[in-house]
Amino acid sequence: MTISGKTRVCAIIGDPVQHSLSPVIHNAAFNEVGLNLVYVAFNVGVTELKDAILGAKTLGIHGLNITMPHKHSVMNYLDKINMTAKNIGAVNTILNKNGILIGYNTDGAGAMLALKENGICTEEKKLVLLGAGGAAKAIAYQAAQEVEELVILNRTVEKAKQLAKILHSFNAKVIGKMLSNNVLYKELTTANILVNATSVGMYPDNNNSPVPSDLLTSDLCVMDIIYNPLNTKLLNDAKYAGAKTVSGVDMLIYQGAVAFEIWTKCTAPVEVMKKAALNELINRV
Ligand code: ATR
C-alpha cells in the first residue's frame, strides 16, 4: 500500500512487544481489504502507559491492541469500556471513535469462534478449561454463555473456584476444581471439549503437557491457546489419540478478527490473516 496523508494508524502496545504477530496479521488484513490503515508495535513500559494512551488519543490513532502487562491497568485511561471487558477486568482492544476511547476484550470471543470455525459445536456441550489466569478468565466468560457445563481446573484451586463463583449468573453449570490427574480423569470421561489456557507446554517447556496422554480420547475436541510451539505436546498427544485439535494460532487469529471488525466494520479476511501468521511463525524457526 502507499502511505499517504490520509493513512490511519493502528498499533499494539505492550512490553515486550517486538515478537508480536499482530502487525503481520493486521497489515495483511488491511491490504487484503484495501483499507488505508497501517499497524505498528509500540513498546511501552508500565510507567509510560498513561502518556502513551493519552498520546494515542491526541494523535488520532484509530485502534489499539493492548497486551502484557497492560490489559488491566489500561482500563484507567479509557472513556468507555464495554460490558464484557468490564466483567473480565481486562481490555485487549481499543477503538478511537471520534476522540472517545472505547475498550473491548476479544480474547474470549476469539477462542470460542476458533472452536466453532473449526466445526466444533459448543451448544449443550461440556467444556473443561485448564487455567484460571487472565486468558482463562476471558474464555470462561464467553464459554459460560454458550456451553451447558463448564469445568474450570487450576493448580491454585481457589482461583478456579473464585472464577466459577463469579460466573454463576450465566446459563452454564460452572464449577471450579483443582487441576490434578484424578480430577482430569473424572472430568474428561464426560467432556466434549478441552481447552488449555495454562502456560504448561509453552516454549521452552515444549516437552510438558497439562494432561497425561492416556486421558485423551477420540471423543474429545482439544484446543491449546499456546502457539509457540505451534504443535504443543498436548495437541500432538490429542492427535495421536484421534481427537480433533485446534491450535493457538486460531484463537490468535479470531481474537484479531473480532478486533479488526470493531475497527473497520468490515468482515475480517481470516484465511489471509492465518496464512500471514503461519508464514511468520515458520520463518522465525
Ligand atoms: P495468562 O494471562 O496467559 O492467562 P496467567 O494469568 O499468568 O497468564 O495464568 C497462567 C495460568 O497457567 C494460571 O492458571 C496458572 O496456574 P496458577 O493460577 O496456579 O498459577 C497456570 N500455570 C502456570 N504454570 C503452571 C504449572 N506448572 N502447572 C499448572 N498450571 C500452571
Side-chain angles (χ1 to χ4, degrees):
M1 71 164 286
T2 310
I3 293 179
S4 70
K6 290 182 181 164
T7 304
R8 289 177 305 161
V9 178
C10 289
I12 182 162
I13 286 180
D15 186 16
V17 82
Q18 62 270 32
H19 294 297
S20 168
L21 290 173
S22 295
V24 164
I25 293 169
H26 284 291
N27 284 316
F30 294 155
N31 266 331
E32 175 68 15
V33 180
L35 297 164
N36 196 358
L37 282 163
V38 289
Y39 189 109
V40 292
F42 293 125
N43 205 101
V44 172
V46 171
T47 56
E48 302 151 342
L49 182 65
K50 183 177 179 184
D51 286 347
I53 297 298
L54 296 181
K57 189 174 178 173
T58 307
L59 292 171
I61 300 259
H62 180 64
L64 288 170
N65 279 136
I66 305 296
T67 188
M68 291 278 285
H70 306 309
K71 286 187 179 187
H72 177 69
S73 46
V74 76
M75 297 172 85
N76 294 320
Y77 313 119
L78 304 179
D79 301 303
K80 287 185 189 169
I81 298 170
N82 105 323
M83 192 52 89
T84 303
K86 221 179 255 178
N87 283 336
I88 295 167
V91 160
N92 76 333
T93 299
I94 297 169
L95 170 68
N96 183 350
K97 194 175 179 187
N98 306 319
I100 306 289
L101 298 186
I102 310 170
Y104 299 85
N105 190 308
T106 68
D107 285 333
M112 298 309 280
L113 263 176
L115 289 172
K116 282 178 277 190
E117 294 294 328
N118 277 283
I120 298 164
C121 169
T122 55
E123 258 173 61
E124 295 173 23
K125 296 289 191 291
K126 172 176 172 178
L127 189 153
V128 174
L129 175 65
L130 310 181
K137 192 172 181 186
I139 297 169
Y141 258 96
Q142 193 65 32
Q145 298 171 61
E146 297 186 23
V147 301
E148 187 168 290
E149 190 179 349
L150 172 64
V151 180
I152 302 164
L153 305 182
N154 197 48
R155 176 177 63 178
T156 311
V157 66
E158 295 76 22
K159 279 166 70 180
K161 289 194 166 162
Q162 178 63 22
L163 183 51
K165 200 170 155 192
I166 56 179
L167 296 173
H168 73 273
S169 60
F170 290 117
N171 290 340
K173 176 185 168 208
V174 188
I175 46 167
K177 292 185 177 180
M178 170 78 92
L179 173 56
S180 71
N181 289 352
N182 277 345
V183 175
L184 276 170
Y185 172 72
K186 181 172 171 286
E187 296 298 339
L188 289 182
T189 316
T190 52
N192 307 102
I193 304 166
L194 169 68
V195 175
N196 176 40
T198 74
S199 48
V200 181
M202 189 190 294
Y203 177 85
D205 189 26
N206 298 30
N207 294 328
N208 279 325
S209 164
V211 183
S213 57
D214 57 350
L215 299 186
L216 300 166
T217 68
S218 58
D219 294 335
L220 277 173
C221 297
V222 181
M223 179 163 87
D224 203 328
I225 72 162
I226 294 168
Y227 60 84
N228 182 17
L230 206 48
N231 289 304
T232 58
K233 182 172 185 325
L234 172 64
L235 289 186
N236 283 333
D237 290 346
K239 271 181 219 155
Y240 188 76
K244 190 173 173 65
T245 60
V246 180
S247 89
V249 164
D250 285 59
M251 172 171 160
L252 179 75
I253 295 304
Y254 283 101
Q255 65 77 28
V258 178
F260 178 94
E261 292 177 9
I262 288 170
W263 296 328
T264 67
K265 314 290 179 254
C266 298
T267 303
V270 283
E271 287 311 318
V272 167
M273 295 165 87
K274 188 166 177 180
K275 199 170 155 202
L278 290 174
N279 264 342
E280 175 71 12
L281 281 172
I282 290 162
N283 285 332
R284 280 182 188 180
V285 175

